């Protein structure tokens, strides 16, 4: 692992917010915990948004353009669908069709809708674990059976074992929920891994729900491959979910897309879920998303450079100062999944760091029942705040060891 | 009917937009038709929004407050629910419970969700006709049977006949969709009428879905009565739908509420429709709505004074210059439902006025199949634009008569 403890990426200084500015925000990240806690949990970034995103919002706000929306002579949804297709081609060389896009408010909503469409109560749904907690909740709420696909640690990374999965499924298993890049492990799956998922899905006739919300937050040499871009066979059994809200830091604006790999999948969905049951996306969310996808690259480049620096800086300090901590630097996402098993912490590591260090990580047990020894750190912040997080961790553990 | 052809309400001048400003907006109203057409269809008002609404949006935009939202130490949804309950008490003296509120993006979404919860395929759903077209669409899409309750013209107003309805329903009729105030007729139903609906619903064990989105746009001496406010028995079988988007002119921000008359109704709903299947409301929509409900009254007072003037001015000119036109001035809404049967128009009156007068009304046949002789006019605009609409109607009809 290369450790870079250098300065911020040159363009980033303008986008970093001070702790005072951050606390003025009314987001969950900076308000959930008391002011003496440094929040490092929910997936918000401590940066200003891309200037074109802000300009697009301001343009509508200044005109008080809050009416039933229309853009370019059609429903604003159409502009969003076109921007998504263009973005996919630009970012991943994948020719998506705007006709197969359906705007929704968020990926959890989309996951519910897809699970209700392609499975029935009691049916099995494969879900990578650990995972973003609301995905597990979708299975509980809808009465589907969770078939966990563990992200195993092997050779310094996280991998999944489809041979073992083979022994876990049955004829009533319907859906493979793939999270790629994976949250919280930060894996970007290789073409070989994705082909294996496809072969597995074909063998057992599964729909693949591919959550790709972190697709643009990747660091390594391995490119992200949208699942439907693998092959026509992959597209024919895939519903892809994406949104600019994660990579461009606008989750409160609630704008996401479902992408159906084929017209047949879209028709099957619409036969089950009435179009307007999932609501409609607000115009500012659409304007912001289109601006992000069409004009946001320079900002994203600066953010990615900073995040890479932040990741390497954080991992470098943790490796040298907390040798008992186990982790694998993520290939994507601004999230670091950490195993605190050997740090001498009793009970929940998340609770320990919150109570004893004043650092609010995401608790491992929320991502995987029983994983009290794990925490997820959000490193999308400034280097001084990251340093303060590490300093507090080190001090709390030293005090705990006495 | 009192005809007031006087000036705008004093406070209103600041809120009226010029045709140039209106055409700069990217809403459907001012972009659906070519520039030489005056749009008078979709329910957008040609006014600036309430200053507190704009201030609330700007406060979030200036801080780039686009993260996962939190307000007052809780999820922003909770602030919205509290503002709704407070508003209902202030506006209608009705004590609603914030705990029975569920935020959604719009009323059509909420109607789908309620219809799916409380009826099955083939079941009967009572719907007043004419009606807002998407409501009829919800029945077609979900395979429910439309049982039309006609708004009959009698004694200079529109009334419904529950005795006749009695002959139309059967044991598989489950839901009474009430639109109050009614779009497009502009009726505000009296306590007696609502009590009759309740008695009917009790006799046949129907759920009442009460769309009250126009509740704050009323002109007359008759107060609006929220259906659940009638009695505990009414609340026990009512799901009320409301939103600030209509009265405060922010439909693009997509924020509405479902209100369940009892905890039992809410539980029954949540057992059928997973909470997150309907998505989540964006933070700017919530901020704008809360500002509207808590600080928007002075603006609304000015708008209502203007709308009353506009209604009376429009109705006065139509009555004197187009004596063959039949209409009843609305008690609520900024919509005028007009019967053009005696004007000598062949085919669709909506098409006639669009093609021959350059006025884009809503077409009657979209509100009631077969009602080609009807159009719906949107009078939420300036008096000069209204005058131009009437002038164009008169000229087109004169030319048509030659």
């Amino acid at each position: 692992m290369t450790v870079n403890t250098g300065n911020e990426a040159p363009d980033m200084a303008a986008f970093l917010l001070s702790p005072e500015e951050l606390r003025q925000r009314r987001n969950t990240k900076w308000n959930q915990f008391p002011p003496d806690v440094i929040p490092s949990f929910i997936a918000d970034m401590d940066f200003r948004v891309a200037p074109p995103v802000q300009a697009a919002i301001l343009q509508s706000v200044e005109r008080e353009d809050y009416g039933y929306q229309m853009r370019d002579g059609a429903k604003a949804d159409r502009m969003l669908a076109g921007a998504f297709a263009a973005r996919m081609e630009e970012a991943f060389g994948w020719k998506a069709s705007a006709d197969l896009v359906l705007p929704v408010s968020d990926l959890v909503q989309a996951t519910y809708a897809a699970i209700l469409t392609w499975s029935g109560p009691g049916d099995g749904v494969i879900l990578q674990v650990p995972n973003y907690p609301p995905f597990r909740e979708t299975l509980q709420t809808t009465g589907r059976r969770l078939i966990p696909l563990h992200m195993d640690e092997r050779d310094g990374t996280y991998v999944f074992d489809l041979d073992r999965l083979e022994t876990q499924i049955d004829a009533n298993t319907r859906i493979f929920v793939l999270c790629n890049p994976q949250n919280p492990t930060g894996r970007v799956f290789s073409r070989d891994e994705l082909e294996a998922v496809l072969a597995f899905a074909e063998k057992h006739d599964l729909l693949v729900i591919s959550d790709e919300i972190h697709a643009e937050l990747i660091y390594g040499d391995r490119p992200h491959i949208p699942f439907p871009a693998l092959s026509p066979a992959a597209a024919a059994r895939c519903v892809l979910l994406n949104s600019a809200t994660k990579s461009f830091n606008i989750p409160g604006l609630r704008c996401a897309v479902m992408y159906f790999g084929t017209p047949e999948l879209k028709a099957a969905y619409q036969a089950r879920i009435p179009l307007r049951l999932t609501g409609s996306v607000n115009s500012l969310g659409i304007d912001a998303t289109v601006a992000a996808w069409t004009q946001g690259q320079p900002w994203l480049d600066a953010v990615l450079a900073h995040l890479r620096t932040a990741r390497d800086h954080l991992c470098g300090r943790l490796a040298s100062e907390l040798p008992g901590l186990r982790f694998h630097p993520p290939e994507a996402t601004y999230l670091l999944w950490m195993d605190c098993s050997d740090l001498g912490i009793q009970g929940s590591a998340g609770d320990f760091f919150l109570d004893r260090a004043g650092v609010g990580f995401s608790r491992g047990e929320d991502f995987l029942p029983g994983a009290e020894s794990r925490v997820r750190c959000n490193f999308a912040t400034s280097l001084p705040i990251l340093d303060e997080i590490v300093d507090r961790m080190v001090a709390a553990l030293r005090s705990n060891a006495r």
Side-chain angles (χ1 to χ4, degrees), chain A residues 12 23 26 39 44 69 78 138 146 158 163 177 206 212 222-223 229 251 273 279 303 315 330 352 359 361 366 382:
Chain A
M12 198 57 203
R23 292 211 183 274
R26 293 174 298 169
D44 254 336
Q69 61 256 37
R78 187 74 198 163
T138 60
L146 168 65
Y158 296 94
D163 291 334
V177 180
L206 307 176
E212 304 190 6
R222 200 201 315 285
I273 306 286
V303 164
C315 292
F352 171 84
V359 176
F361 294 127
D366 296 334
S382 67

Side-chain angles (χ1 to χ4, degrees), chain A residues 114-115 118-119 124-127 173-177 206-209:
Chain A
I115 284 176
W118 281 285
S119 67
V125 176
I126 298 162
L127 190 61
T173 303
R174 309 284 180 210
I175 295 176
F176 192 127
V177 180
L206 307 176
L207 178 86
V208 176
I209 299 176

Side-chain angles (χ1 to χ4, degrees), chain A residues 4-8 38 40 306 309-310 312-318 320-322 357 359 361 377-379 381-395:
Chain A
N4 177 353
T5 52
N7 293 323
E8 313 290 354
I38 301 179
S40 185
H306 172 80
T309 300
D312 295 347
H313 179 75
L314 173 66
C315 292
R317 282 204 59 193
L318 292 175
S320 67
E321 298 174 49
L322 294 175
V359 176
F361 294 127
C377 169
N378 173 346
F379 58 80
T381 189
S382 67
L383 298 192
I385 289 180
L386 276 184
D387 278 331
E388 178 69 19
I389 289 173
V390 178
D391 291 346
R392 290 185 180 200
M393 290 174 74
V394 170

Side-chain angles (χ1 to χ4, degrees), chain A residues 193-211:
Chain A
E193 288 173 300
L194 296 176
E195 292 283 6
V197 169
L198 173 60
F200 190 94
E202 289 190 304
K203 179 174 177 187
H204 299 287
D205 196 18
L206 307 176
L207 178 86
V208 176
I209 299 176
S210 190
D211 159 21

Side-chain angles (χ1 to χ4, degrees), chain A residues 68-198:
Chain A
Y68 288 100
Q69 61 256 37
M70 205 165 180
R71 297 290 183 270
D72 306 329
K75 275 192 73 179
D77 285 8
R78 187 74 198 163
M79 178 178 72
L80 179 70
F84 173 74
R87 181 73 182 178
M88 291 302 102
E89 179 153 18
E90 183 196 354
F92 309 117
W94 168 45
K95 286 191 193 299
S97 161
D99 292 336
L100 299 177
V101 172
L102 194 67
V104 290
S105 87
D106 57 79
L107 270 71
V108 176
Q109 173 183 37
T111 303
Y112 269 103
I115 284 176
L116 290 171
T117 299
W118 281 285
S119 67
D123 283 349
V125 176
I126 298 162
L127 190 61
Q128 289 156 309
V129 294
N131 55 52
Y132 179 56
F135 288 133
R136 214 166 49 248
E137 183 194 295
T138 60
L139 305 191
Q140 290 163 348
T141 305
T142 59
R144 270 56 171 171
R145 211 163 12 98
L146 168 65
I147 299 177
L149 174 59
H150 284 272
M151 298 296 291
D152 302 324
E153 291 184 62
R154 194 181 309 156
D155 302 330
T157 188
Y158 296 94
V159 294
F160 50 80
D161 183 342
L162 293 179
D163 291 334
R164 196 171 71 221
L165 183 65
E166 192 86 44
T167 67
Q168 297 171 254
I169 68 165
D170 57 27
N172 293 322
T173 303
R174 309 284 180 210
I175 295 176
F176 192 127
V177 180
L178 179 72
C179 180
N180 180 30
Q182 212 264 339
N183 169 14
T185 62
R187 274 299 320 278
V188 177
F189 299 116
S190 69
R191 182 174 295 275
D192 284 351
E193 288 173 300
L194 296 176
E195 292 283 6
V197 169
L198 173 60

Side-chain angles (χ1 to χ4, degrees), chain A residues 91-92 180-182 186-189 212-226 247 297 300-301 303-305 307-308 311 330-334 379:
Chain A
F92 309 117
N180 180 30
Q182 212 264 339
R187 274 299 320 278
V188 177
F189 299 116
E212 304 190 6
I213 199 169
H214 289 94
E216 303 217 38
L217 294 165
I218 60 177
Y219 303 114
D221 295 329
R222 200 201 315 285
H224 171 78
I225 303 169
S247 29
Q297 195 59 50
L300 186 59
D301 287 340
V303 164
L304 282 170
L307 290 176
R308 192 180 293 110
R311 178 194 64 169
E331 300 166 322
T333 81
Y334 46 77
F379 58 80

Side-chain angles (χ1 to χ4, degrees), chain A residues 363-380:
Chain A
R363 305 182 333 152
E365 55 269 40
D366 296 334
F367 289 72
L368 173 61
E372 278 79 7
S373 64
R374 312 283 177 125
V375 293
R376 191 189 74 170
C377 169
N378 173 346
F379 58 80

